[in-house]
Amino acid sequence: MITFDHTTKTYEGGVTAVNNVDFTVEEGSIVVLLGPSGCGKTTLLRMVNRLESITDGRIIIDGQNSMELNQIELRRKIGYVIQSNGLFPNMTIEENVMIVPDLLGWSKKEKRDRFHTLMELIGLNPKEYRKRYPHELSGGQQQRIGVVRALAADPPVMLMDEPFGALDPIIREKIQEEFLQIQREVKKTILFVSHDIDEAIKMADKIVLLRGGEIMQFDTPSEMLAHPKNDFVVQFFGKDRAIRSLSLHTVKDLQDNIGLVDFDETIHDTKTININQDLRNTLSMLMNQEADQVIVTDNNDHKLGAVTIDLVQKYLHFEIKGKPAASQKG
Amino acid sequence: MQEWIRFLDVNAPRILQLTIEHAMLVGLAIIVALIIGVPLGIYLTTNEYLAGTVLQVASITLTIPSIALFGVMIPVFSMINQGIGFVPAFVALVLYSQLPIIRNTYTAIKNVSPEMRDAAVGVGMKTYQRLLRVEIPNALPVIMAGIRTAVVLNIGIGVIAAYIGAGGLGVLITQGISRGDNYLIISGSLAVAFLAMIADGILLLIQKRYTPKGIAN
């Protein structure tokens, strides 16, 4: 658990980068720091492992004031992932991944075993990659290595500074999903910096939206999209925030709440969609094809019913915005 | 050609002996210069204030004409009865090689990418661990380039050392000039050039051998 208690950072010369910030990252959850550039999100993240000093207030990590801990030991207990992966080019993949255990003085055997476990976690063959160097890997693989390096000594807390920011959109989405999968197993307490709204919505249990070093809103993604607290939040998420919020819901949610429609047997070549797909993708699919319905299937490809644009719209108004569907036409 | 063969027949042993003398003088000076310059360059990366001053002084040293610096050494070392010969020449060469060595070491380490340094600090490395495990290995090619510059520079400047009685290949050239003997001048110059090329080649091999595999491309 990380608690920010009136945390403030003022640079010499009087510029305030972080102003009186108060929030808590609960055990095992992901909090995303979101905001435009210069909003202080990276500074705030770096204050946790004391790469930036704290001017005022406190940061409490698992019950201990970070300022009272030894700086070096503190950093070794916190996993740290940065955008440009920060791998050391002079070291092999194994040396890179095992750097913190090495600094902590683990034995050779312990390191080797841990390396195998970690590489299997991200689906890379440990034997194949052990002796290779970072420059021989693709950007996506390097970033995966960057993530497992942070996990190496099994730290309870992780800091991730735009970890997937340098990847192309397709790889990024894949790695985000992989990472969420890993997080379900390891349940770390994670502070995550992003400037990408969709990434924040996807990754976050809660979002901290920052502007000029101050918190504009601290809420779950769906709350923030449905009930923005002020104009800045409205503006930041943009006019398409209703559509964005669809990515938080799956076809299953729609089925559970308002039900699917029967599919029309007479239409051929209708596309199908898995019930666990999110509604944003479903809507895109509906709009991309000419038929006005998409058949919903479960994991065994069993047809459950169909979904239409009207149905998504109804769900959007009824469930997300909390307004009765009857007041909407169509 | 006939004359050259006759010249070399008589002078080859002497040329070889002077080449060895030259290499010894420059080699010893470089070793001492490295012992001073590399640690100093590394230290300066942790002390910005001192870095400016030291690099400035080293730059000024290099602008002093070599013959003047050798000249200045004479009265200074006369005080300990070493006014001419090996000692003053050796000290002057050490001073000359400081700039390329200190500056390249300093710049190389400073130029290690900020992300990499950030990652090193962020995973909890202490200053010396960061230097030994990350910064120096990644800066090695540039540090070596500085050392190679210093070696080639010193082999050239070492020629002037003959004027203050330190021996070396400069002896052939100065004698050649005073006697108007082109054979001496040309053979001395070629020997200096070969020595410089061979030394640079050996250092390049060392550089390749010790550059971490991950950054050798």
Side-chain angles (χ1 to χ4, degrees):
Chain A
M1 196 166 88
I2 314 170
T3 304
F4 293 83
D5 176 20
H6 298 284
T7 312
T8 297
K9 164 96 191 172
T10 312
Y11 285 107
E12 282 174 49
V15 180
T16 302
V18 173
N19 194 7
N20 208 12
V21 162
D22 264 318
F23 70 92
T24 295
V25 186
E26 296 293 344
E27 200 79 54
S29 75
I30 302 179
V31 168
V32 174
L33 300 172
L34 182 64
S37 24
C39 70
K41 52 191 191 296
T42 295
T43 310
L44 188 58
L45 179 100
R46 290 164 60 90
M47 285 162 82
V48 178
N49 62 357
R50 289 174 59 190
L51 290 171
E52 298 279 354
S53 62
I54 302 169
T55 316
D56 209 0
R58 298 181 302 169
I59 296 175
I60 297 151
I61 302 165
D62 290 331
Q64 284 176 298
N65 183 342
S66 69
M67 292 310 289
E68 283 160 14
L69 297 163
N70 175 296
Q71 178 170 297
I72 299 290
E73 282 167 28
L74 170 79
R75 287 177 188 151
R76 290 178 186 173
K77 270 190 240 158
I78 296 177
Y80 184 47
V81 190
I82 59 179
Q83 175 172 358
S84 52
N85 73 58
L87 298 180
F88 305 122
N90 58 312
M91 298 183 193
T92 62
I93 296 307
E94 186 178 28
E95 287 166 340
N96 264 292
V97 173
M98 285 298 114
I99 189 74
V100 180
D102 194 39
L103 291 169
L104 292 171
W106 289 21
S107 74
K108 245 186 174 160
K109 167 105 178 50
E110 286 172 313
K111 284 191 279 186
R112 180 60 51 87
D113 291 349
R114 183 70 182 150
F115 178 70
H116 276 249
T117 314
L118 288 167
M119 292 299 275
E120 271 153 27
L121 199 62
I122 51 168
L124 294 177
N125 182 346
K127 287 203 182 73
E128 194 190 325
Y129 285 91
R130 197 159 68 84
K131 288 283 167 222
R132 295 175 76 173
Y133 287 90
H135 75 92
E136 298 172 293
L137 271 57
S138 71
Q141 289 170 332
Q142 289 185 14
Q143 205 57 53
R144 287 187 182 97
I145 299 295
V147 169
V148 289
R149 179 173 70 181
L151 287 168
D154 206 12
V157 171
M158 277 175 77
L159 304 176
M160 306 179 81
D161 190 355
E162 303 205 16
F164 313 130
L167 303 173
D168 68 69
I170 294 167
I171 303 279
R172 188 190 309 154
E173 215 161 294
K174 198 160 167 248
I175 295 193
Q176 284 167 347
E177 258 141 46
E178 261 179 39
F179 182 72
L180 286 173
Q181 193 74 46
I182 293 172
Q183 166 66 357
R184 263 170 237 136
E185 283 176 46
V186 297
K187 293 198 175 56
K188 300 292 176 194
T189 306
I190 298 171
L191 195 60
F192 189 111
V193 164
S194 180
H195 65 256
D196 175 348
I197 297 173
D198 294 321
E199 181 174 67
I201 292 170
K202 185 173 185 177
M203 306 299 288
D205 292 305
K206 278 184 157 187
I207 295 176
V208 174
L209 184 62
L210 290 158
R211 183 182 63 170
E214 287 178 35
I215 296 185
M216 293 289 109
Q217 188 166 353
F218 174 46
D219 250 320
T220 60
S222 59
E223 262 305 294
M224 207 173 268
L225 288 163
H227 303 113
K229 261 188 182 165
N230 56 45
D231 287 349
F232 176 77
V233 184
V234 174
Q235 236 177 33
F236 188 82
F237 284 100
K239 294 200 173 71
D240 52 354
R241 66 177 199 279
I243 293 173
R244 289 187 196 279
S245 70
L246 283 176
S247 62
L248 291 165
H249 300 261
T250 62
V251 180
K252 178 124 188 21
D253 296 330
L254 183 144
Q255 187 199 27
D256 291 349
N257 285 289
I258 59 175
L260 300 170
V261 294
D262 291 334
F263 55 87
D264 189 345
E265 299 271 14
T266 60
I267 304 172
H268 295 286
D269 297 335
T270 306
K271 290 205 174 130
T272 61
I273 193 163
N274 185 282
I275 190 150
N276 293 318
Q277 272 287 337
D278 70 56
L279 288 176
R280 191 174 175 182
N281 282 343
T282 313
L283 186 64
S284 305
M285 232 173 136
L286 281 162
M287 300 186 90
N288 280 343
Q289 70 158 3
E290 286 170 15
D292 55 1
Q293 58 168 250
V294 166
I295 293 172
V296 179
T297 60
D298 63 12
N299 290 334
N300 304 319
D301 286 332
H302 187 77
K303 291 177 182 172
L304 300 169
V307 63
T308 62
I309 291 183
D310 282 353
L311 212 54
V312 175
Q313 198 189 16
K314 195 170 153 198
Y315 180 80
L316 181 69
H317 289 299
F318 186 69
E319 286 301 322
I320 300 177
K321 286 182 158 178
K323 290 179 200 159
S327 70
Q328 298 290 326
K329 54 179 176 169
Chain B
M1 208 58 214
Q2 283 289 316
E3 289 88 352
W4 268 111
I5 291 168
R6 213 175 307 133
F7 171 82
L8 287 178
D9 196 35
V10 178
N11 290 291
R14 182 157 174 258
I15 294 172
L16 191 66
Q17 186 232 323
L18 288 173
T19 307
I20 291 169
E21 207 173 274
H22 201 94
M24 291 281 280
L25 174 66
V26 173
L28 279 175
I30 285 291
I31 288 168
V32 172
L34 286 179
I35 292 170
I36 302 169
V38 173
L40 186 58
I42 293 169
Y43 170 72
L44 290 180
T45 59
T46 63
N47 188 335
E48 272 311 304
Y49 174 74
L50 201 59
T53 318
V54 171
L55 289 175
Q56 199 67 43
V57 170
S59 295
I60 291 168
T61 312
L62 200 65
T63 63
I64 302 172
S66 43
I67 196 141
L69 187 63
F70 283 115
V72 168
M73 291 295 150
I74 296 173
V76 175
F77 284 94
S78 291
M79 290 188 282
I80 53 164
N81 280 331
Q82 296 283 349
I84 55 166
F86 179 80
V87 175
F90 168 79
V91 172
L93 289 181
V94 169
L95 287 177
Y96 271 124
S97 31
Q98 288 305 295
L99 181 69
I101 294 176
I102 298 176
R103 191 175 53 196
N104 274 50
T105 305
Y106 173 82
T107 318
I109 289 180
K110 275 283 163 185
N111 282 356
V112 166
S113 83
E115 288 85 20
M116 214 195 295
R117 184 174 296 119
D118 202 55
V121 177
V123 297
M125 287 192 197
K126 296 172 184 165
T127 307
Y128 79 90
Q129 289 170 326
R130 193 187 75 214
L131 278 166
L132 287 179
R133 288 169 179 242
V134 178
E135 296 186 340
I136 294 174
N138 286 298
L140 201 68
V142 183
I143 296 176
M144 280 303 290
I147 295 171
R148 285 163 57 200
T149 308
V151 167
V152 172
L153 187 78
N154 269 7
I155 289 174
I157 290 174
V159 169
I160 312 293
Y163 280 110
I164 57 168
L169 289 166
V171 172
L172 291 179
I173 296 169
T174 50
Q175 276 179 5
I177 292 170
S178 57
R179 294 180 196 165
D181 183 341
N182 286 340
Y183 292 105
L184 280 175
I185 299 174
I186 292 170
S187 60
S189 309
L190 286 177
V192 169
F194 278 128
L195 187 59
M197 287 194 294
I198 290 166
D200 196 50
I202 291 172
L203 287 168
L204 184 63
L205 287 180
I206 294 176
Q207 175 180 337
K208 287 199 168 145
R209 168 73 183 74
Y210 287 99
T211 299
K213 253 164 85 189
I215 57 169
N217 55 345

